[in-house]
């Protein structure tokens, strides 16, 4: 009896082994497929909750921007910003930061995303007829300036940099054009008076912006260089070790145009 069952037992064992081997092969193939499939670019958002602002990538372009195999990812970037306040927004400045891509000075590289005149970082700047705000409830689309796209391509080629796997949207400044707005920390201004006369003075919105500019290097420096009109130079906020750079400074500023 025992000898008659042995062939069947061996057959069943062989079938089980084949089944286990096939299962392991399928798992291995699937794992390899997942590992080889293109991963998406990670997008982080650092927008203070205190801001009356909603931001999101444009749905039609989101996949193209996140696709790590898309060499034209910069052109695919379109950020929709919605004014959720009850006042018009005359100026908005954000950064698209590349936290893992450093400059020669080990500072994160960043692209500027701007709406409106940069003059509005001064709280006393008044709107003029040519200023077109973002009305309450309305949405505008911000894109990466062409000169900064060129700056990245040049820097990437010169330093053999890979396209970033992660980007971060950072808030810098918002102005309602009436002397009020929000600084980079998400604090509303004009600021309240200090409770103590001996307390140190709080930085102005302009000083807050200037301090933040010193922590990053925008790609405009790479493509524009120096000796350009102020309207262009103002996009370069960091002093590069490779040149005398262009510093942010107070005073009358030129019109840089609108992004719609």
């Amino acid at each position: 009896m025992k000898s008659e069952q042995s062939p069947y037992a061996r057959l069943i064992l062989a079938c089980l082994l084949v089944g286990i081997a096939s299962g392991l092969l399928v798992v291995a193939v699937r794992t390899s497929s997942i590992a080889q499939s293109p991963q998406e670019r990670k997008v982080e958002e650092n927008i203070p909750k205190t801001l009356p602002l909603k931001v999101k990538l444009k749905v039609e372009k989101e996949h193209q921007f996140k696709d790590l195999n898309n060499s034209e990812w910069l052109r695919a970037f379109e950020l929709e910003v919605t004014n959720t306040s009850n006042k018009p927004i005359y100026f908005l400045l954000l950064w698209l930061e590349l936290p893992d891509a450093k400059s020669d000075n080990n500072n994160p590289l960043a692209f500027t995303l701007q709406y409106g005149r940069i003059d509005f970082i001064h709280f006393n700047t008044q709107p003029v007829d040519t200023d077109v705000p973002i009305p309450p409830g309305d949405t505008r689309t911000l894109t990466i300036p062409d000169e900064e796209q060129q700056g990245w391509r040049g820097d990437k080629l010169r330093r053999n940099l890979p396209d970033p796997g992660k980007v971060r949207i950072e808030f810098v400044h918002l102005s309602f054009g009436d002397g009020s707005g929000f600084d980079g920390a998400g604090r509303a201004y004009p600021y309240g008076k200090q409770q103590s006369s001996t307390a140190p003075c709080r930085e102005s919105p302009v000083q807050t912006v200037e301090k933040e500019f010193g922590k990053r290097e925008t790609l405009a420096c790479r493509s524009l260089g120096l000796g350009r009109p102020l309207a262009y130079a103002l996009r370069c906020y960091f002093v590069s070790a490779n040149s005398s750079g262009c510093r942010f400074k107070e005073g009358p500023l030129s019109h840089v145009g609108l992004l719609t």
Side-chain angles (χ1 to χ4, degrees):
M1 184 71 175
K2 185 175 180 180
S3 60
E4 293 178 355
Q5 293 179 344
S6 295
Y8 293 104
R10 287 196 296 270
L11 179 60
I12 292 173
L13 180 60
C15 290
L16 287 174
L17 291 174
V18 170
I20 293 173
S22 299
L24 291 175
L25 180 61
V26 169
V27 171
V29 170
R30 287 182 177 178
T31 303
S32 176
S33 176
I34 292 174
Q36 294 175 8
S37 63
Q39 297 179 347
E40 285 192 334
R41 179 170 289 107
K42 184 178 180 182
V43 180
E44 298 178 350
E45 181 185 310
N46 189 17
I47 306 294
K49 301 300 182 183
T50 54
L51 294 183
L53 196 68
K54 179 182 177 181
V55 304
K56 69 172 184 177
L57 293 175
K58 194 168 186 177
V59 175
E60 296 84 349
K61 296 293 187 70
E62 183 174 0
H63 174 72
Q64 297 176 47
F65 173 70
K66 290 184 176 181
D67 184 358
L68 293 177
N69 292 324
N70 181 17
S71 61
E72 296 298 320
W73 62 280
L74 288 176
R75 295 190 182 279
F77 179 82
E78 293 190 16
L79 185 69
E80 295 181 333
V81 296
T82 301
N83 179 3
T84 60
S85 74
N86 58 3
K87 297 197 293 185
I89 294 176
Y90 276 86
F91 178 74
L92 176 64
L93 184 61
L94 306 173
W95 271 315
L96 180 65
E97 185 179 280
L98 314 182
D100 297 327
K102 307 293 185 179
S103 70
D104 294 326
N105 298 305
N106 203 35
N107 287 281
L109 297 176
F111 300 99
T112 54
L113 307 172
Q114 179 178 319
Y115 185 95
R117 282 191 295 141
I118 200 168
D119 302 71
F120 282 105
I121 61 168
H122 300 283
F123 69 90
N124 58 351
T125 298
Q126 297 295 312
V128 295
D129 291 341
T130 55
D131 291 317
V132 181
I134 306 175
D138 271 23
T139 300
R140 296 292 184 272
T141 300
L142 304 183
T143 58
I144 299 172
D146 287 341
E147 65 268 21
E148 297 193 24
Q149 293 187 39
Q150 295 171 16
W152 166 254
R153 295 188 188 98
D155 216 38
K156 177 183 175 180
L157 181 63
R158 181 178 67 86
R159 301 170 60 205
N160 194 28
L161 297 175
D163 283 326
K166 178 174 66 175
V167 298
R168 182 182 299 126
I169 300 169
E170 294 272 359
F171 170 73
V172 184
H173 194 86
L174 183 152
S175 173
F176 292 116
D178 61 357
S180 67
F182 290 86
D183 66 15
R187 297 172 300 193
Y189 69 85
Y191 305 126
K193 294 181 179 180
Q194 298 287 347
Q195 295 180 355
S196 170
S197 59
T198 59
C201 295
R202 178 175 287 180
E203 293 178 334
S204 70
V206 171
Q207 291 172 317
T208 303
V209 172
E210 186 174 13
K211 179 183 289 187
E212 289 301 311
F213 285 161
K215 297 178 182 178
R216 294 165 182 83
E217 181 173 347
T218 68
L219 276 302
C221 292
R222 305 293 189 183
S223 59
L224 295 178
L226 303 178
R228 298 280 184 162
L230 184 58
Y232 290 93
L234 282 171
R235 287 196 180 277
C236 173
Y237 300 112
F238 183 84
V239 181
S240 172
N242 296 329
S243 67
S244 58
C246 42
R247 244 184 232 283
F248 175 85
K249 58 181 72 177
E250 297 190 34
L253 307 177
S254 296
H255 190 284
V256 234
L258 302 177
L259 296 175
T260 54

